[in-house]
Amino acid sequence: ENALAFFRKNLFRTAEGERALHYLKKRGVTDQTAQELKIGYALNSWNSLLSFFEGKGEGAKILEKAGLVLYNEKKNSYYDRFRARIIFPIFSLTGKVVAFGGRTISNEEPKYLNSPDTPVYSKGKLLYGLNFCKESIRKEGEAILVEGYTDFLALYQAGIKNVAASLGTSLTPDQVSLALRFAPRMIISYDGDSAGRNAALRAIPICFERGAEVRALTLPPEVDPDNFIKSHGAEAFKSLVQKSIPGLRFLIDSLLQ
């Protein structure tokens, strides 16, 4: 919670944060969405978060355990894990922040950096955004599953609130079981490239194994939910949801191809 407060202050109350806000605006993310989803920013510094916690009397060991800092053996010192990145907080179902995802705003690799597993977080057991969208998913009777933060953001901001993301990992049985607590049907909406299709081919059998009804939403080649929404709007995406095909048919069609 303290780290999240620090990241949010960086985004909205620092000169460096203005650049990050400009980046978000360029990507079509409004201030309101950033506030609602509690998005933050990690400063371009090796130790700003570490110094913040040292000022509160917290030692580096507990920060390392929380996945917030890393240890440099050569220098025998600690440094911030997230630097110069937009920060997406990851929440438990009850709304407790348990981890972070960081997206670079320059050309740093990797593009996305995520918290490691910690005593309070296991990436294969949570869905990003489910804490915000569980009631909408329950109401609609279906969960649209996307791959990443920006795809989730695009749908959420466009008013499509029955959505959750698999945190940049392959969909896991635990994640499907979690979504099934709120709806019996999963709509797999991954990128339209070969990697996205292959991810869907892996995800659909997992949904079957967990007893979910599953459908596949097919996007045009090289298109992801984020840029589809930007180009065509929410109603066109809802139309694709309506036209989604049964998971078994998607598997058979893919095998035939």
Side-chain angles (χ1 to χ4, degrees), residues 64-237:
E64 185 182 25
K65 201 173 182 182
L68 294 169
V69 302
L70 295 160
Y71 179 62
N72 183 328
E73 280 189 32
K74 283 184 183 173
K75 295 184 178 176
N76 187 31
S77 63
Y78 291 88
Y79 61 96
D80 292 358
R81 177 182 292 273
F82 299 104
R83 303 179 306 281
R85 289 176 181 270
I86 303 284
I87 296 293
F88 299 97
I90 298 161
F91 297 93
S92 69
L93 268 186
T94 54
K96 299 275 189 198
V97 59
V98 291
F100 301 102
R103 202 244 189 247
T104 181
I105 60 169
S106 54
N107 292 319
E108 291 276 319
E109 288 294 335
K111 187 159 74 168
Y112 286 96
L113 185 65
N114 297 305
S115 288
D117 283 6
T118 70
V120 294
Y121 172 63
S122 177
K123 67 184 173 191
K125 294 187 176 176
L126 283 180
L127 286 163
Y128 176 71
L130 188 59
N131 60 301
F132 296 111
C133 295
K134 57 190 179 184
E135 294 311 320
S136 293
I137 288 169
R138 201 195 302 274
K139 187 178 163 194
E140 295 291 336
E142 64 186 21
I144 300 169
L145 299 179
V146 296
E147 285 184 282
Y149 307 106
T150 51
D151 290 335
F152 173 87
L153 248 73
L155 268 65
Y156 179 91
Q157 189 170 275
I160 299 168
K161 300 285 174 75
N162 58 319
V163 61
S166 55
L167 292 161
T169 62
S170 295
L171 191 68
T172 68
D174 284 335
Q175 288 171 329
V176 175
S177 295
L178 190 61
L180 277 171
R181 287 168 57 181
F182 303 98
R185 184 166 58 253
M186 308 292 124
I187 309 283
I188 304 294
S189 175
Y190 290 170
D191 295 1
D193 58 10
S194 60
R197 288 186 72 86
N198 288 334
L201 287 171
R202 290 192 298 272
I204 288 166
I206 291 169
C207 293
F208 283 146
E209 285 165 16
R210 281 292 182 268
E213 181 191 337
V214 57
R215 300 180 69 83
L217 187 160
T218 48
L219 288 166
E222 310 308 318
V223 172
D224 60 26
D226 178 24
N227 50 42
F228 184 89
I229 287 275
K230 287 189 175 83
S231 301
H232 305 285
E235 292 308 313
F237 189 86

Side-chain angles (χ1 to χ4, degrees), residues 219-255:
L219 288 166
E222 310 308 318
V223 172
D224 60 26
D226 178 24
N227 50 42
F228 184 89
I229 287 275
K230 287 189 175 83
S231 301
H232 305 285
E235 292 308 313
F237 189 86
K238 287 177 186 173
S239 175
L240 284 186
V241 172
Q242 295 297 320
K243 293 173 189 166
S244 61
I245 63 172
L248 187 59
R249 186 173 140 201
F250 178 82
L251 294 181
I252 292 168
D253 287 351
S254 297
L255 284 169

Side-chain angles (χ1 to χ4, degrees), residues 12-84:
F12 292 103
R13 295 190 201 162
T14 68
E16 206 181 310
E18 280 182 27
R19 182 171 159 241
L21 275 173
H22 178 70
Y23 171 85
L24 284 170
K25 283 194 178 80
K26 205 167 72 178
R27 294 293 303 260
V29 180
T30 65
D31 282 359
Q32 183 182 340
T33 299
Q35 291 280 16
E36 282 180 21
L37 301 181
K38 301 184 179 179
I39 293 170
Y41 177 69
L43 296 171
N44 189 14
S45 156
W46 288 98
N47 61 1
S48 62
L49 185 70
L50 183 61
S51 298
F52 167 74
F53 275 107
E54 283 173 344
K56 288 179 166 289
E58 292 285 5
K61 286 280 184 194
I62 189 75
L63 301 180
E64 185 182 25
K65 201 173 182 182
L68 294 169
V69 302
L70 295 160
Y71 179 62
N72 183 328
E73 280 189 32
K74 283 184 183 173
K75 295 184 178 176
N76 187 31
S77 63
Y78 291 88
Y79 61 96
D80 292 358
R81 177 182 292 273
F82 299 104
R83 303 179 306 281

